[in-house]
Amino acid sequence: MLALKKKLLKCSFCGKTEKDVARLIGGPGVHICDGCIGTCNRILEATPSSFAGWDKMTNEQLLDGLKTAEATVEATRGVLQAQIEELRQRNVSWEAIGKALGISRQAAWERFS
Ligand SMILES: [Zn+2]
């Protein structure tokens, strides 16, 4: 018997599929898993709500924050890449993507293809 294969949904941040995670929550064009939400919560908890400035932090505090900051950058980059891949699947031109980002067609292609 032929079964229709449903495309697995993936977390836009870590790439795990809905089968690999306990929960997957969807937003417009993106999904996030319970594990990544946990990471986000830890980032929020680690960030003082009244930020006094980088110069007020100790070396240890700054060093401790590096890995979290990098993970945040990587996660955000993943969302951007996923959005662009979706646009490319819809045959939206590199010209249009570049224009939306305020960069040239060539620069958009070099960065995201
Ligand atoms: Zn995830």
Side-chain angles (χ1 to χ4, degrees):
M1 192 180 135
L2 208 80
L4 278 178
K5 262 196 187 158
K6 183 173 159 274
K7 201 179 161 206
L8 281 179
L9 297 174
K10 277 186 187 172
C11 175
S12 308
F13 293 80
C14 68
K16 288 181 183 166
T17 71
E18 58 189 316
K19 285 189 172 173
D20 301 326
V21 300
R23 298 289 301 273
L24 197 64
I25 296 168
V30 294
H31 293 88
I32 187 167
C33 75
D34 55 316
C36 288
I37 289 171
T39 303
C40 290
N41 284 336
R42 284 194 296 279
I43 291 168
L44 292 174
E45 282 163 18
T47 312
S49 52
S50 57
F51 183 63
W54 298 117
D55 58 329
K56 302 284 185 284
M57 292 172 72
T58 66
N59 290 353
E60 284 69 29
Q61 286 173 319
L62 287 168
L63 287 167
D64 282 351
L66 285 186
K67 203 162 172 58
T68 309
E70 190 199 19
T72 308
V73 169
E74 290 304 317
T76 309
R77 193 188 317 248
V79 171
L80 180 61
Q81 187 71 40
Q83 274 183 275
I84 287 169
E85 282 167 16
E86 178 63 31
L87 286 165
R88 290 297 300 152
Q89 275 191 6
R90 297 179 189 187
N91 291 317
V92 173
S93 69
W94 285 113
E95 180 86 50
I97 292 168
K99 194 176 174 199
L101 289 167
I103 59 178
S104 71
R105 184 197 72 80
Q106 180 70 20
W109 181 82
E110 281 171 9
R111 246 178 95 182
F112 301 106
S113 73

